[in-house]
Amino acid sequence: GAGVSQSPSNKVTEKGKDVELRCDPISGHTALYWYRQSLGQGLEFLIYFQGNSAPDKSGLPSDRFSAERTGGSVSTLTIQRTQQEDSAVYLCASSRTGFGNTIYFGEGSWLTVV
Amino acid sequence: AQSVTQLGSHVSVSEGALVLLRCNYSSSVPPYLFWYVQYPNQGLQLLLKYTSAATLVKGINGFEAEFKKSETSFHLTKPSAHMSDAAEYFCAVMGETSGSRLTFGEGTQLTVNP
């Protein structure tokens, strides 16, 4: 079966531009997560969607970051007015409903801000 | 709040030698614990998961981990290292106070020498 799919796999953008990163979770998974992986920062939680509940946005680093999930499936992470410190790998993950379920990760979107 | 500490950001072993990657967690209640592996330019792949069913957990590729509540540890081992084991390894905890999201350790880069 298909895993978590992310696009684009690589993105180079100029400072100040907006970018959108897309995530298509595993079919049937109601929970969706975004993490950021950057040098020196490890893996940072950004945002968590669970079904129709309000998302947990507690990890978003600034108001330039936002995410939405349409129809309980595909999610888009948007970074406005990108800065060089936004350069990182953005990992999307999904899981079935319920505490303790395994979280499956996509290959990531590599973002470079120049 | 949960936290995870991985002792040793870099571990180097010879091919055929024992692999031991250390992970200690902080949680007020027994959590779910995970080990993920990340090969170069790839996403995270689940190695194994502790769910309280058994303290010794066997995973893929010959890896196993033992949950020791008294030591708050969940160290990852493999009896005999292969060259293909070279990768970065992440320990993660999922605890009730953080909902269903994972909190990761800083990662351990494993090098296997011929």
Side-chain angles (χ1 to χ4, degrees):
Chain A
V4 177
S5 178
Q6 293 188 245
S7 62
S9 54
N10 285 283
K11 175 74 175 179
V12 180
T13 190
E14 292 181 352
K15 178 181 172 181
K17 301 275 189 176
D18 297 352
V19 297
E20 286 189 350
L21 307 176
R22 176 189 166 101
C23 173
D24 203 341
I26 293 172
S27 178
H29 282 191
T30 57
L32 187 146
Y33 310 77
W34 284 98
Y35 282 81
R36 179 169 71 175
Q37 185 176 24
S38 48
L39 285 174
Q41 297 294 324
L43 282 151
E44 295 176 81
F45 165 78
L46 297 177
I47 189 168
Y48 162 54
F49 295 89
Q50 173 56 63
N52 295 321
S53 302
D56 175 358
K57 303 179 182 180
S58 59
L60 293 178
S62 76
D63 59 8
R64 295 187 295 106
F65 288 74
S66 63
E68 63 177 21
R69 189 177 185 190
T70 54
S73 181
V74 172
S75 176
T76 302
L77 176 69
T78 301
I79 309 173
Q80 295 179 310
R81 306 180 302 282
T82 51
Q83 304 294 314
Q84 287 186 329
E85 60 264 29
D86 299 334
S87 296
V89 180
Y90 290 83
L91 292 165
C92 180
S94 71
S95 73
R96 295 189 184 279
T97 302
F99 179 67
N101 280 305
T102 298
I103 297 175
Y104 296 90
F105 285 81
E107 297 282 302
S109 289
W110 294 67
L111 175 66
T112 304
V113 182
V114 298
Chain B
Q2 286 79 222
S3 66
V4 175
T5 302
Q6 291 184 240
L7 296 175
S9 58
H10 290 83
V11 170
S12 182
V13 301
S14 298
E15 192 173 19
L18 171 72
V19 175
L20 171 60
L21 305 181
R22 300 178 186 275
C23 172
N24 287 88
Y25 68 92
S26 168
S27 176
S28 58
V29 295
Y32 289 98
L33 292 160
F34 303 77
W35 276 100
Y36 284 86
V37 61
Q38 186 176 36
Y39 298 102
N41 301 320
Q42 294 187 24
L44 297 171
Q45 180 182 359
L46 180 71
L47 271 179
L48 49 79
K49 169 184 171 183
Y50 168 73
T51 62
S52 79
T55 56
L56 183 63
V57 182
K58 294 188 183 298
I60 62 171
N61 302 338
F63 284 93
E64 61 182 37
E66 186 173 8
F67 173 72
K68 292 187 177 180
K69 184 178 177 181
S70 61
E71 300 177 6
T72 60
S73 70
F74 190 57
H75 301 331
L76 182 71
T77 61
K78 181 173 181 178
S80 176
H82 294 170
M83 298 296 290
S84 59
D85 294 327
E88 188 153 22
Y89 292 80
F90 292 92
C91 183
V93 62
M94 181 188 292
E96 290 187 1
T97 60
S98 64
S100 294
R101 60 174 158 143
L102 293 169
T103 300
F104 286 91
E106 293 297 310
T108 298
Q109 182 68 47
L110 175 66
T111 300
V112 181
N113 301 306

